[in-house]
């Protein structure tokens, strides 16, 4: 116990997540199945040497990366240049609008290491919300979880632990043992849970992401990108804001062992409240961060990949976030279910239908600019009854300085079924008057 404590403290001091000190790479792919290297216990082998070229596979012929259009490049005369960081790639995004504020090599595929665990947590949040999983559910620790090396919560085989404790062990301790335990509790096997992760990646549009294990240990075809990780982070913080406190916990004590969160951003930037770090010898140190200032509606997400050390990944994340809050602002143009126009329809139960936006319309713009966003409603041709509630009937374009910066669907805010014979006859003649 004494030696384990000394090792743990040494790891905490140098800031490496031992779950991810080895490295490797491969490519986004088809539905080909890949398997991680295993140790003698049948657990993913933390000491396996998987070359980086196998972890991050090349992009296939004909593959096209998503087009990134950072706001810093749209108005360079208005916005200060983004900071230069010593990282392989980064991205800065508004969580509310999804607008990319700044980016560098954001489609580059790299090993995500323990940031992989964010996808597990996203699935866990879904299951808790739909009622198939509860925070106080008690889970029995499988032996293969105990046998998984690297950073750990220090679980023992057959120990019983709650889902809430496992979440803390995953996000604070970056525990591989906790990750395997929770994944197997949900899906039965690790491979089944990996399938769930890859399906979710496709649903979210993570085109440069593929998972081979549940915790981010070196494995063939296990990679992601700054852009994809920002989209995943945005899904977490916008769809499940009630769980944001999970990611800001600075320490966790389990079985009389206290461990501190590997996310050093939480300790150097008061506005930060998440999300997850990852590190590998060959892939450097990475961090997905998020922050929200008091009395500021804007939440920002930062992703830095392959920084030289843990402190640099935190410092660079802080630099990005401060730059974002200083340079940009989120502006609400319309609350949810706002009417933009009353549209005359013929043959319906009602003469008019309200057309507007279903969700709150928010845009991200330069903070120091005097430009004012403008909206333009474009209706589809041939809108006929019956019209369903929230039926898309056109689009709303938002422009800034004559540049379209956002397009959202225009919807009918109320249903308008077909009218009776009297209304139909009246409207027939009304068309020609």
């Amino acid at each position: 116990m004494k030696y384990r404590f000394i090792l743990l403290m040494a790891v905490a001091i140098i800031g490496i997540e031992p779950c991810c000190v080895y490295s490797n790479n491969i490519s986004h792919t088809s539905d080909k199945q890949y398997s991680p290297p295993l140790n003698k216990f049948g657990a993913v082998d933390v000491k396996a040497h998987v070359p980086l070229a196998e972890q991050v596979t090349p992009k296939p012929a004909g593959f096209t990366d998503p087009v990134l259009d950072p706001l810093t490049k749209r108005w360079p005369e208005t916005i200060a240049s983004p900071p230069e960081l010593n990282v392989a790639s980064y991205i800065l995004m508004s969580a509310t609008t999804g607008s990319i504020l700044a980016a560098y090599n954001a489609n580059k595929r790299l090993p995500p290491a323990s940031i992989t665990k964010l996808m597990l947590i996203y699935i866990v949040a879904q299951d808790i919300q739909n009622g198939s999983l509860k925070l106080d559910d008690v889970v029995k620790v499988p032996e293969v979880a105990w046998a998984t090396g690297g950073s750990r919560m220090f679980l023992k085989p057959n120990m019983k632990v709650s889902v809430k404790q496992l979440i803390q062990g995953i996000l604070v301790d970056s525990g591989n043992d906790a990750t395997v335990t929770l994944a197997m509790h949900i899906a039965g096997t690790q491979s089944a849970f990996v399938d769930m992760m890859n399906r979710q990646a496709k649903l979210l549009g993570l085109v440069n992401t593929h998972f081979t294990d549940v915790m981010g240990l070196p494995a063939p075809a296990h990679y992601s990108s700054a852009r994809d990780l920002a989209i995943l982070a945005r899904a977490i913080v916008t769809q499940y804001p009630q769980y944001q406190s999970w990611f800001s916990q600075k320490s966790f004590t389990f079985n009389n062992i206290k461990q501190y969160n590997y996310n050093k951003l939480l300790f150097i930037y008061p506005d930060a409240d998440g999300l997850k770090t990852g590190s590998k010898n060959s892939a450097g140190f990475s961090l997905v961060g998020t922050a929200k200032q008091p009395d500021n509606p804007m939440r920002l997400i930062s992703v830095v990949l392959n920084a030289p050390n843990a402190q640099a990944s935190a410092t660079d994340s802080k630099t990005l976030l401060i730059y974002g809050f200083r340079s940009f602002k989120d502006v609400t143009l319309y609350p949810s279910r706002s009417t933009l126009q009353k549209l005359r329809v013929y043959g319906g139960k009602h003469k008019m239908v309200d057309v507007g936006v279903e969700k709150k319309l928010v845009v991200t713009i330069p903070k120091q600019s005097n430009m004012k966003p403008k909206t333009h409603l474009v209706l589809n041709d041939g809108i006929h009854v019956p019209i369903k509630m929230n039926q898309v009937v056109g689009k709303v374009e938002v422009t800034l300085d004559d540049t379209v910066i956002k397009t959202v669907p225009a919807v009918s805010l109320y249903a308008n079924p077909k009218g009776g014979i009297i209304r139909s006859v009246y409207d027939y003649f009304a068309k020609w008057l």
Side-chain angles (χ1 to χ4, degrees), residues 334-398:
Y334 297 106
S336 59
R337 304 201 64 76
S338 292
T339 299
L340 276 65
Q341 180 177 321
K342 289 184 177 295
L343 177 66
R344 177 70 164 98
V345 292
Y346 296 92
K349 183 178 180 180
H350 311 289
K351 290 176 62 176
M352 314 293 290
V353 63
D354 289 0
V355 174
V357 290
E358 180 183 2
K359 299 178 180 178
K360 180 168 63 173
L361 179 52
V362 185
V363 293
T364 304
I365 64 173
K367 195 170 187 178
Q368 305 304 325
S369 172
N370 293 322
M371 297 181 290
K372 302 294 183 183
K374 299 177 182 179
T375 58
H376 178 55
L377 175 63
V378 181
L379 294 172
N380 296 338
D381 294 330
I383 301 173
H384 304 292
V385 293
I387 298 174
K388 299 177 181 178
M389 180 183 292
N390 297 329
Q391 178 179 323
V392 176
V393 295
K395 62 183 178 180
V396 180
E397 293 181 338
V398 183

Side-chain angles (χ1 to χ4, degrees), residues 119 192-204 211:
M119 180 58 85
F193 196 89
V194 169
D195 287 343
M196 294 172 63
M197 294 166 68
N198 284 319
R199 283 199 299 272
Q200 286 295 328
K202 288 183 178 180
L203 290 173
L204 288 170
F211 301 111

Side-chain angles (χ1 to χ4, degrees), residues 132-165:
S132 61
L133 189 69
K134 295 182 173 57
L135 288 173
D136 57 1
D137 284 349
V138 175
V139 181
K140 186 177 179 181
V141 178
E143 184 174 5
V144 70
W146 164 83
T148 304
S151 53
R152 56 183 56 244
M153 183 179 166
F154 295 107
L155 298 173
K156 297 178 180 180
N158 300 318
M159 177 183 281
K160 293 183 178 179
V161 61
S162 71
V163 168
K164 182 178 180 180
Q165 289 173 314

Side-chain angles (χ1 to χ4, degrees), residues 387-425:
I387 298 174
K388 299 177 181 178
M389 180 183 292
N390 297 329
Q391 178 179 323
V392 176
V393 295
K395 62 183 178 180
V396 180
E397 293 181 338
V398 183
T399 60
L400 189 68
D401 193 27
D402 297 325
T403 301
V404 176
I405 60 172
K406 189 166 190 173
T407 301
V408 298
V411 302
S412 55
L413 299 178
Y414 304 98
N416 194 350
K418 285 187 176 181
I421 185 66
I422 296 176
R423 169 62 66 187
S424 298
V425 171

Side-chain angles (χ1 to χ4, degrees), residues 27-333:
S27 129
H28 199 156
T29 97
S30 53
D31 293 323
K32 179 178 178 181
Q33 296 297 310
Y34 293 89
S35 298
L38 304 180
N39 62 23
K40 64 181 180 179
F41 299 100
V44 179
D45 189 358
V46 69
K47 296 182 180 180
H49 174 67
V50 183
L52 194 62
E54 291 183 18
Q55 293 182 61
V56 181
T57 51
K59 299 175 184 182
F63 179 87
T64 303
D65 276 320
V67 176
L68 305 179
D69 187 18
L71 298 189
T72 48
K73 293 186 176 180
R74 290 193 184 188
W75 298 283
E77 71 286 349
T78 303
I79 306 169
S81 298
E84 294 185 3
L85 306 177
N86 184 23
V87 297
S89 68
Y90 74 74
I91 197 167
L92 180 65
M93 176 185 286
S94 164
T96 305
T97 66
S99 294
I100 298 172
L101 312 185
Y104 170 72
N105 281 346
N107 284 319
K108 182 179 178 66
R109 293 176 175 181
L110 291 165
S114 278
I115 293 173
T116 298
K117 292 163 183 163
L118 283 181
M119 180 58 85
L120 180 143
I121 293 297
Y122 179 61
I123 294 171
V124 166
Q126 289 179 333
D127 286 355
I128 291 174
Q129 183 151 298
N130 67 31
S132 61
L133 189 69
K134 295 182 173 57
L135 288 173
D136 57 1
D137 284 349
V138 175
V139 181
K140 186 177 179 181
V141 178
E143 184 174 5
V144 70
W146 164 83
T148 304
S151 53
R152 56 183 56 244
M153 183 179 166
F154 295 107
L155 298 173
K156 297 178 180 180
N158 300 318
M159 177 183 281
K160 293 183 178 179
V161 61
S162 71
V163 168
K164 182 178 180 180
Q165 289 173 314
L166 290 172
I167 291 171
Q168 292 172 301
I170 292 167
L171 291 176
V172 178
D173 307 340
S174 199
N176 291 335
D177 49 0
T179 303
V180 172
T181 298
L182 193 48
M184 292 181 66
H185 176 70
I186 292 171
T189 66
Q190 293 183 69
S191 60
F193 196 89
V194 169
D195 287 343
M196 294 172 63
M197 294 166 68
N198 284 319
R199 283 199 299 272
Q200 286 295 328
K202 288 183 178 180
L203 290 173
L204 288 170
L206 312 187
V207 298
N208 280 307
T209 295
H210 185 268
F211 301 111
T212 302
D213 63 52
V214 299
M215 78 294 286
L217 287 174
H222 194 96
Y223 55 85
S224 190
S225 68
R227 177 258 183 193
D228 286 4
L229 292 172
I231 291 173
L232 172 59
R234 183 179 180 233
I236 292 171
V237 302
T238 59
Q239 294 177 30
Y240 306 105
Q242 67 271 35
Y243 304 136
Q244 189 60 46
S245 61
W246 290 355
F247 303 93
S248 59
Q249 185 173 336
K250 293 182 178 179
S251 66
F252 176 51
T253 301
F254 178 78
N255 201 22
N256 296 318
I257 301 172
K258 184 176 184 178
Q259 299 192 65
Y260 289 91
N261 200 315
Y262 286 99
N263 185 357
K264 295 182 180 298
L265 181 65
L266 298 175
F267 300 91
I268 67 171
Y269 188 37
D271 294 329
D273 55 358
L275 287 167
K276 188 72 185 73
T277 61
S279 59
K280 289 185 173 185
N281 280 350
S282 65
F285 293 74
S286 302
L287 195 157
V288 176
T290 185
K292 188 177 183 303
Q293 294 179 328
D295 304 319
N296 185 344
M298 182 167 65
R299 172 177 287 280
L300 292 180
I301 292 167
S302 63
V303 181
V304 297
L305 300 181
N306 201 4
N309 55 63
Q311 191 62 47
S313 69
T315 302
D316 286 348
S317 298
K318 178 182 177 180
T319 298
L320 269 182
L321 293 165
I322 290 175
Y323 167 79
F325 284 122
R326 184 180 65 244
S327 304
F328 300 93
K329 61 183 177 181
D330 282 348
V331 177
T332 300
L333 302 180

